[in-house]
């Protein structure tokens, strides 16, 4: 959405499967369909119900079949480990859910449109340990079908995540490797300082 801010500037390239997403030939709306985003702070749409929050992206993309919307809502809420808690409250306001439930609702909303990439910026940073555990389990479960990028400043949450890790410092990529290598024998001193708690 930064392209709507006249004072924002972008340098360099960001490639999504080889395509520069800032190219003049690329439609921002198409990029948003391919990349889901979950922020640190849950942001359910306050005037929408639980079900409407999950299916809003589908409806904006022209899906009107009630059957398909209901199926995708249930599937996404199950993936977000939220279905059992809200299945009898689908028409309740999304803001009536707890903070942890709202964050999992936002994850379900992102998953409903079946993005190719899901970006998560510290999705459990404001949650209690039980809700954090549910989010971490969720990430472990969904990452098999997505190109997931989980950005976390919390050591424990990062270590719980599997796959590959990228370590950034002030916007610069410091190290990229398997999670096991990053957390057990990092190649860079700055990475080692972070994972051992000396920095960060």
């Amino acid at each position: 959405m930064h392209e709507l801010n006249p004072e924002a500037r972008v340098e360099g390239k960001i490639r999504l499967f080889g395509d520069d997403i800032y190219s003049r030939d690329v439609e921002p709306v198409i990029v948003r369909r391919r990349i889901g985003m979950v922020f640190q702070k849950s942001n359910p749409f306050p005037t929408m119900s639980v079900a409407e929050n999950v299916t809003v992206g589908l409806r904006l993309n022209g899906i009107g079949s009630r059957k398909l919307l209901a199926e995708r809502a249930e599937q996404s809420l199950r993936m977000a480990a939220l279905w059992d808690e809200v299945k009898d409250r689908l028409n309740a306001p999304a803001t009536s859910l707890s903070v942890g439930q709202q964050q999992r609702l936002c994850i379900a909303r992102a998953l409903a449109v079946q993005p190719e990439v899901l970006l998560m910026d510290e999705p459990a940073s404001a949650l209690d340990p039980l809700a954090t555990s549910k989010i971490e389990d969720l990430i472990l479960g969904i990452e098999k079908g997505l190109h997931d990028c989980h950005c976390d400043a919390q050591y424990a949450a990062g270590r719980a995540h599997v796959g590959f890790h990228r370590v950034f410092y002030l916007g610069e990529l410091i190290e990229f490797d398997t999670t096991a290598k990053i957390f057990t024998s990092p190649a860079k001193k700055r990475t080692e300082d972070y994972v051992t708690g000396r920095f960060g």
Side-chain angles (χ1 to χ4, degrees):
M1 291 191 282
H2 62 278
E3 72 270 8
L4 301 176
N5 182 345
E7 296 179 22
R9 75 184 167 96
V10 176
E11 293 180 15
K13 294 181 180 183
I14 297 176
R15 296 193 178 278
L16 177 63
F17 306 116
D19 298 327
D20 178 6
I21 66 170
Y22 290 120
S23 166
R24 295 185 193 278
D25 302 333
V26 175
E27 273 293 323
V29 172
I30 302 300
V31 172
R32 289 188 201 110
R33 286 182 188 154
R34 297 178 70 191
I35 302 173
M37 180 70 197
V38 178
F39 298 94
Q40 289 176 331
K41 187 175 184 297
S42 59
N43 57 351
F45 297 123
T47 61
M48 294 183 186
S49 70
V50 170
E52 290 169 333
N53 259 274
V54 177
T55 60
V56 65
L58 298 169
R59 289 180 281 118
L60 287 172
N61 283 302
I63 295 176
S65 164
R66 288 184 184 201
K67 182 174 186 256
L68 179 58
L69 291 171
E71 287 172 358
R72 195 72 69 79
E74 180 177 347
Q75 175 190 36
S76 301
L77 288 165
R78 284 187 185 279
M79 288 176 71
L82 189 57
W83 175 253
D84 291 335
E85 298 170 42
V86 300
K87 65 184 175 189
D88 297 323
R89 300 190 292 156
L90 295 175
N91 293 320
T95 53
S96 70
L97 301 178
S98 73
V99 174
Q101 289 172 326
Q102 287 182 25
Q103 186 67 322
R104 285 183 284 143
L105 176 66
C106 293
I107 292 171
R109 182 175 66 207
L111 292 170
V113 295
Q114 300 177 326
E116 297 167 61
V117 174
L118 181 59
L119 301 174
M120 297 179 143
D121 180 9
E122 299 184 44
S125 66
L127 304 180
D128 62 74
L130 181 59
T132 296
S133 177
K134 287 183 179 184
I135 299 284
E136 289 174 354
D137 290 345
L138 163 66
I139 291 167
L140 292 171
I142 64 173
E143 75 173 351
K144 293 171 184 74
L146 293 171
H147 299 278
D148 169 55
C149 179
H150 174 212
C151 303
D152 211 308
Q154 298 168 321
Y155 170 74
R159 189 166 184 161
H161 195 67
V162 298
F164 289 89
H165 259 75
R166 289 159 188 84
V167 178
F168 289 88
Y169 179 70
L170 298 176
E172 178 187 347
L173 178 64
I174 302 300
E175 188 167 350
F176 170 74
D177 214 322
T178 64
T179 298
K181 179 109 167 99
I182 291 287
F183 285 97
T184 59
S185 56
K188 307 285 184 172
K189 174 126 178 48
R190 186 162 279 161
T191 302
E192 181 182 348
D193 288 348
Y194 170 71
V195 300
T196 59
R198 288 191 290 264
F199 176 80

